[in-house]
Short mmCIF file of all heavy atoms in Angstrom, two decimals:
data_model
loop_
_atom_site.label_atom_id
_atom_site.label_comp_id
_atom_site.label_asym_id
_atom_site.label_seq_id
_atom_site.Cartn_x
_atom_site.Cartn_y
_atom_site.Cartn_z
N ILE A 89 5.36 8.03 -5.96
CA ILE A 89 4.51 7.97 -7.15
C ILE A 89 4.89 9.15 -8.09
O ILE A 89 4.93 8.97 -9.32
CB ILE A 89 3.04 8.11 -6.71
CG1 ILE A 89 2.72 6.92 -5.87
CG2 ILE A 89 2.13 8.23 -7.90
CD1 ILE A 89 1.28 6.88 -5.30
N VAL A 92 7.78 8.50 -10.39
CA VAL A 92 7.50 7.72 -11.56
C VAL A 92 6.79 8.55 -12.65
O VAL A 92 7.09 8.47 -13.79
CB VAL A 92 6.62 6.44 -11.15
CG1 VAL A 92 6.23 5.69 -12.42
CG2 VAL A 92 7.32 5.60 -10.16
N HIS A 93 5.86 9.31 -12.17
CA HIS A 93 5.09 10.20 -13.12
C HIS A 93 5.95 11.34 -13.71
O HIS A 93 5.88 11.60 -14.96
CB HIS A 93 3.90 10.84 -12.38
CG HIS A 93 2.76 10.01 -12.14
ND1 HIS A 93 1.82 10.26 -11.13
CD2 HIS A 93 2.35 8.85 -12.72
CE1 HIS A 93 0.96 9.28 -11.12
NE2 HIS A 93 1.22 8.41 -12.08
N ARG A 149 12.44 4.88 -14.17
CA ARG A 149 11.10 4.67 -13.78
C ARG A 149 10.78 3.21 -13.45
O ARG A 149 10.20 2.85 -12.45
CB ARG A 149 10.08 5.11 -14.94
CG ARG A 149 10.15 6.65 -15.18
CD ARG A 149 9.18 6.91 -16.23
NE ARG A 149 9.13 8.33 -16.66
CZ ARG A 149 8.36 8.85 -17.46
NH1 ARG A 149 7.44 8.19 -18.07
NH2 ARG A 149 8.42 10.15 -17.80
N VAL A 150 11.29 2.29 -14.33
CA VAL A 150 11.05 0.93 -14.16
C VAL A 150 11.89 0.48 -12.95
O VAL A 150 11.36 -0.38 -12.17
CB VAL A 150 11.59 0.12 -15.39
CG1 VAL A 150 11.50 -1.38 -15.19
CG2 VAL A 150 10.76 0.57 -16.62
N LEU A 153 9.83 1.36 -9.90
CA LEU A 153 8.73 0.41 -9.76
C LEU A 153 9.21 -0.90 -9.22
O LEU A 153 8.54 -1.53 -8.43
CB LEU A 153 7.95 0.23 -11.01
CG LEU A 153 7.23 1.47 -11.62
CD1 LEU A 153 6.68 1.24 -12.99
CD2 LEU A 153 6.09 1.86 -10.62
N ALA A 174 2.37 -2.50 -8.19
CA ALA A 174 3.42 -1.46 -8.71
C ALA A 174 3.06 -1.03 -10.15
O ALA A 174 3.13 0.16 -10.42
CB ALA A 174 4.85 -2.06 -8.56
N ILE A 175 2.84 -2.00 -11.04
CA ILE A 175 2.79 -1.66 -12.43
C ILE A 175 1.38 -1.15 -12.86
O ILE A 175 1.22 -0.60 -13.90
CB ILE A 175 3.18 -2.84 -13.39
CG1 ILE A 175 2.15 -4.01 -13.22
CG2 ILE A 175 4.60 -3.22 -13.04
CD1 ILE A 175 2.60 -5.16 -14.04
N MET A 176 0.36 -1.33 -12.01
CA MET A 176 -1.00 -0.87 -12.33
C MET A 176 -1.51 0.13 -11.33
O MET A 176 -2.53 0.73 -11.66
CB MET A 176 -1.91 -2.11 -12.35
CG MET A 176 -1.55 -3.07 -13.45
SD MET A 176 -2.78 -4.43 -13.60
CE MET A 176 -4.26 -3.54 -14.37
N GLY A 177 -0.89 0.31 -10.17
CA GLY A 177 -1.46 1.16 -9.15
C GLY A 177 -1.02 2.66 -9.28
O GLY A 177 -1.65 3.53 -8.68
N ILE A 178 0.03 2.87 -10.01
CA ILE A 178 0.55 4.33 -10.17
C ILE A 178 -0.47 5.11 -10.99
O ILE A 178 -0.85 6.24 -10.69
CB ILE A 178 1.91 4.34 -10.76
CG1 ILE A 178 2.93 3.49 -9.91
CG2 ILE A 178 2.41 5.83 -10.99
CD1 ILE A 178 3.10 3.98 -8.45
N SER A 179 -0.73 4.53 -12.19
CA SER A 179 -1.76 5.17 -13.13
C SER A 179 -2.75 4.14 -13.35
O SER A 179 -2.65 3.27 -14.25
CB SER A 179 -1.01 5.62 -14.37
OG SER A 179 0.04 6.55 -14.13
N VAL A 180 -3.97 4.29 -12.66
CA VAL A 180 -5.04 3.32 -12.81
C VAL A 180 -5.67 3.48 -14.20
O VAL A 180 -5.99 4.48 -14.65
CB VAL A 180 -6.15 3.63 -11.76
CG1 VAL A 180 -7.26 2.63 -11.90
CG2 VAL A 180 -5.49 3.59 -10.35
N VAL A 182 -3.91 2.03 -16.88
CA VAL A 182 -2.86 1.54 -17.83
C VAL A 182 -1.93 0.65 -17.02
O VAL A 182 -1.94 0.64 -15.83
CB VAL A 182 -2.11 2.73 -18.35
CG1 VAL A 182 -2.99 3.70 -19.22
CG2 VAL A 182 -1.38 3.55 -17.29
N MET A 183 -1.15 -0.06 -17.83
CA MET A 183 -0.26 -0.98 -17.16
C MET A 183 1.15 -0.67 -17.81
O MET A 183 1.38 -0.66 -19.04
CB MET A 183 -0.68 -2.45 -17.55
CG MET A 183 0.22 -3.51 -17.03
SD MET A 183 -0.57 -5.22 -17.38
CE MET A 183 0.77 -6.26 -16.72
N TYR A 184 2.14 -0.59 -16.89
CA TYR A 184 3.52 -0.37 -17.23
C TYR A 184 4.06 -1.78 -17.75
O TYR A 184 4.76 -2.42 -16.95
CB TYR A 184 4.32 0.16 -16.18
CG TYR A 184 4.07 1.65 -15.85
CD1 TYR A 184 3.09 2.01 -14.97
CD2 TYR A 184 4.81 2.64 -16.43
CE1 TYR A 184 2.72 3.33 -14.74
CE2 TYR A 184 4.56 4.03 -16.19
CZ TYR A 184 3.50 4.33 -15.34
OH TYR A 184 3.28 5.67 -15.01
N ASP A 185 3.77 -2.08 -19.00
CA ASP A 185 4.13 -3.46 -19.50
C ASP A 185 5.63 -3.63 -19.49
O ASP A 185 6.12 -4.82 -19.14
CB ASP A 185 3.65 -3.60 -20.87
CG ASP A 185 2.09 -3.59 -21.08
OD1 ASP A 185 1.44 -4.34 -20.31
OD2 ASP A 185 1.56 -2.83 -21.92
N ALA A 186 6.40 -2.64 -19.73
CA ALA A 186 7.82 -2.78 -19.77
C ALA A 186 8.39 -3.18 -18.42
O ALA A 186 9.51 -3.65 -18.26
CB ALA A 186 8.55 -1.64 -20.34
N ALA A 187 7.64 -2.82 -17.34
CA ALA A 187 8.11 -3.05 -15.97
C ALA A 187 7.75 -4.40 -15.46
O ALA A 187 8.15 -4.76 -14.32
CB ALA A 187 7.57 -1.92 -15.05
N MET A 188 6.90 -5.19 -16.15
CA MET A 188 6.44 -6.47 -15.70
C MET A 188 7.56 -7.44 -15.29
O MET A 188 7.65 -7.92 -14.20
CB MET A 188 5.44 -7.09 -16.59
CG MET A 188 4.92 -8.48 -16.12
SD MET A 188 3.81 -9.23 -17.21
CE MET A 188 2.38 -8.22 -17.10
N VAL A 189 8.42 -7.73 -16.23
CA VAL A 189 9.48 -8.65 -16.03
C VAL A 189 10.47 -8.10 -14.97
O VAL A 189 10.85 -8.91 -14.01
CB VAL A 189 10.15 -9.04 -17.27
CG1 VAL A 189 11.48 -9.85 -17.08
CG2 VAL A 189 9.29 -9.82 -18.21
N PRO A 190 10.95 -6.93 -15.06
CA PRO A 190 11.76 -6.39 -14.02
C PRO A 190 11.28 -6.46 -12.67
O PRO A 190 11.87 -6.81 -11.67
CB PRO A 190 12.09 -5.02 -14.44
CG PRO A 190 12.02 -4.99 -15.93
CD PRO A 190 10.81 -5.91 -16.17
N CYS A 191 9.94 -6.07 -12.57
CA CYS A 191 9.26 -6.00 -11.24
C CYS A 191 9.13 -7.44 -10.67
O CYS A 191 9.33 -7.68 -9.50
CB CYS A 191 7.94 -5.30 -11.34
SG CYS A 191 7.96 -3.57 -11.46
N THR A 405 -3.12 8.50 -10.31
CA THR A 405 -4.03 9.03 -11.25
C THR A 405 -4.98 7.89 -11.74
O THR A 405 -4.54 6.76 -11.84
CB THR A 405 -3.26 9.62 -12.54
OG1 THR A 405 -2.35 8.53 -13.00
CG2 THR A 405 -2.40 10.77 -12.11
N LEU A 407 -6.88 7.12 -15.13
CA LEU A 407 -6.89 7.58 -16.49
C LEU A 407 -8.12 7.39 -17.22
O LEU A 407 -8.55 8.23 -18.06
CB LEU A 407 -5.71 6.96 -17.29
CG LEU A 407 -4.33 7.19 -16.76
CD1 LEU A 407 -3.31 6.50 -17.68
CD2 LEU A 407 -4.03 8.73 -16.70
#
Side-chain angles (χ1 to χ4, degrees):
I89 296 175
V92 177
H93 284 157
R149 296 182 182 182
V150 176
L153 294 173
I175 65 178
M176 298 185 71
I178 302 298
S179 300
V180 180
V182 300
M183 180 174 176
Y184 287 86
D185 296 312
M188 177 180 289
V189 170
C191 284
T405 57
L407 297 183

